[in-house]
Amino acid sequence: MKKHKVVIVGAGRIFKKHIDYITSKHNKFFELVAIIEKKTSKHKTLFDYNVPVLQFYKEVINKFNFETVIILTESGNHASIAEFFLKNKKNTIIEKPIAVKLKEAEKLVQLEKKFKKNVFVVKQNRFNLPIIKLKTAIEKGMFGKIFLATTRVRWRRDQNYYNQAPWRGTYKNDGGVLCNQAIHHIDLLQWLVGGVKSVYAKKNKVSAKIQCEDLAVALMHFKNGALGTIEATTATRPNDLEGSISILGTKGSVLIKGFSANKVENWNFELQKNNNFNYNKFNENPPNVYGFGHQRFYKFVENVLKKKEKNTLNSSEGIKSLKIVTALYKSFEK
């Protein structure tokens, strides 16, 4: 079988989660042909992957034959890099968020349609088994009318984390806890419950010496009438507490906790015939939850490229959570 050739741009914190799958024995589809990293101090260790390592991403267009680029740079550069590769007719995988600025993301939506190439925004938590089961329960109408949806992201990011790179915690290249960490859970809320009509939010800086917020609390009004709440912080001490999702309806309720919405805490419906229903079978406890869903994400990408599935993580889908985050930041200013 002919391999699907990829190039990776950026070798930061999330790089290992992508490269581990691309270079693993379980991957029979993708072939890495080059890595681009602007910091030459990192190049020595990157040579271990036995592919060329370049400093500037524009060089790869004329030097290598490949179909897809994987963008893992600081968030503020996602859009400009994706625009370059889309214009050069390459499929584009973008780590969250799709962009920091909404106008840049909207341009990517237009370019994806114009050049008829796939954009995949990494939303790996959608592939968590408890989330998949929750989505199915909602689609089957098991909740009745959903009236409340909540996410709590209570994570720990100390000053050492923000000091790893000068762009972390800046408005231009990163964003705060909403745009960086909680955007995954905000995406889950809108994917599960639907579009958002209005938001109201407040922010604070608790401990991190950064431009942006490390604490945000928000109220959302969904288009279907449900209310939603977001509680997000990276100031949790001494350890991470949870990355949870809860859905309450007139006929049932579900609470999914764990570090990143991967463990069912409550699963209870009026229509449930067996009151001793074993929801533990939905739980997943991998050795390292961080990046666990990337494996399933890449299988999904493979299926889309093979035309076995429809791309439900395209730019039009990936922009939805950014629209909510943008509205939350506008609410801060009022």
Side-chain angles (χ1 to χ4, degrees):
M1 181 181 71
K2 183 181 178 182
K3 291 275 191 172
H4 186 90
K5 295 180 180 180
V6 301
V7 166
I8 295 180
V9 181
R13 188 170 182 260
I14 198 65
F15 170 79
K16 196 171 188 307
K17 300 304 174 185
H18 291 262
I19 198 77
D20 280 356
Y21 180 79
I22 295 297
T23 59
S24 75
K25 63 181 180 181
H26 303 293
N27 166 40
K28 306 295 183 184
F29 181 72
F30 298 100
E31 178 185 350
L32 181 67
V33 298
I35 300 171
I36 294 90
E37 170 51 52
K38 63 183 179 182
K39 289 186 178 180
T40 55
S41 59
K42 292 183 178 181
H43 286 196
K44 186 176 180 180
T45 58
L46 296 175
F47 287 133
D48 293 341
Y49 294 104
N50 298 314
V51 296
V53 180
L54 289 75
Q55 186 176 12
F56 304 108
Y57 66 86
K58 291 184 179 180
E59 295 180 60
V60 298
I61 291 298
N62 296 322
K63 289 186 176 181
F64 302 99
N65 177 31
F66 65 101
E67 292 84 23
T68 296
V69 63
I70 303 167
I71 301 172
L72 310 179
T73 64
E74 55 268 42
S75 302
N77 287 329
H78 285 180
S80 59
I81 297 172
E83 179 180 344
F84 172 80
F85 283 105
L86 283 170
K87 286 180 176 178
N88 280 278
K89 299 181 180 180
K90 304 297 181 184
N91 298 305
T92 306
I93 295 171
I94 310 174
E95 257 294 349
K96 59 78 189 168
I98 184 174
V100 171
K101 296 179 180 179
L102 189 56
K103 286 185 178 180
E104 293 178 338
E106 290 170 343
K107 189 171 184 180
L108 295 184
V109 173
Q110 295 171 356
L111 290 173
E112 182 179 13
K113 294 176 180 177
K114 179 179 179 179
F115 293 103
K116 295 181 172 58
K117 289 295 177 180
N118 281 294
V119 172
F120 301 92
V121 184
V122 181
K123 303 289 185 183
Q124 75 274 13
N125 290 341
R126 290 193 185 188
F127 299 99
N128 292 357
L129 182 58
I131 296 298
I132 292 172
K133 296 297 183 181
L134 175 56
K135 178 73 168 176
T136 300
I138 291 172
E139 291 174 343
K140 288 183 176 180
M142 292 173 63
F143 282 90
K145 181 176 176 57
I146 294 174
F147 60 85
L148 181 62
T150 300
T151 185
R152 290 187 296 272
V153 181
R154 297 168 169 177
W155 288 351
R156 179 184 188 270
R157 298 289 187 272
D158 60 16
Q159 195 61 42
N160 289 331
Y161 166 83
Y162 290 105
N163 291 344
Q164 287 177 5
W167 56 267
R168 290 193 181 280
T170 64
Y171 286 111
K172 181 180 179 181
N173 285 317
D174 189 19
V177 65
L178 288 177
C179 193
N180 192 320
Q181 287 82 18
I183 195 165
H184 280 303
H185 294 77
I186 293 170
D187 172 70
L188 290 180
L189 282 187
Q190 68 82 22
W191 185 57
L192 293 166
V193 183
V196 175
K197 184 178 181 181
S198 62
V199 300
Y200 176 77
K202 289 293 183 181
K203 67 172 181 175
N204 208 343
K205 276 193 286 186
V206 179
S207 60
K209 295 178 181 178
I210 55 176
Q211 288 182 357
C212 304
E213 82 289 347
D214 62 1
L215 168 65
V217 178
L219 173 67
M220 300 190 297
H221 186 192
F222 290 91
K223 291 179 180 179
N224 62 10
L227 295 181
T229 62
I230 300 169
E231 177 193 317
T233 184
T234 52
T236 307
R237 298 295 186 270
N239 302 307
D240 297 314
L241 280 180
E242 63 179 309
S244 67
I245 295 284
S246 61
I247 305 291
L248 276 63
T250 54
K251 295 182 179 180
S253 58
V254 168
L255 170 60
I256 299 177
K257 296 184 74 172
F259 172 76
S260 195
N262 60 292
K263 183 179 180 181
V264 179
E265 192 87 1
N266 177 78
W267 186 279
N268 200 2
F269 293 96
E270 288 182 357
L271 298 177
Q272 211 162 272
K273 295 180 180 179
N274 183 0
N275 291 329
N276 296 317
F277 178 75
N278 181 21
Y279 54 72
N280 288 320
K281 62 184 179 181
F282 296 161
N283 291 339
E284 297 178 298
N285 294 292
N288 184 1
V289 176
Y290 180 68
F292 176 65
H294 285 77
Q295 301 168 33
R296 291 173 181 165
F297 167 78
Y298 274 107
K299 290 302 295 183
F300 168 79
V301 172
E302 178 181 339
N303 286 338
V304 173
L305 293 173
K306 289 179 175 178
K307 302 187 184 304
K308 292 181 179 181
E309 286 191 60
K310 181 181 177 182
N311 185 5
T312 54
L313 292 178
N314 58 22
S315 57
S316 296
E317 188 67 20
I319 201 175
K320 291 178 181 179
S321 55
L322 183 62
K323 286 181 178 180
I324 297 171
V325 169
T326 301
L328 291 170
Y329 277 109
K330 287 183 179 179
S331 179
F332 290 157
E333 299 169 2
K334 294 180 181 178

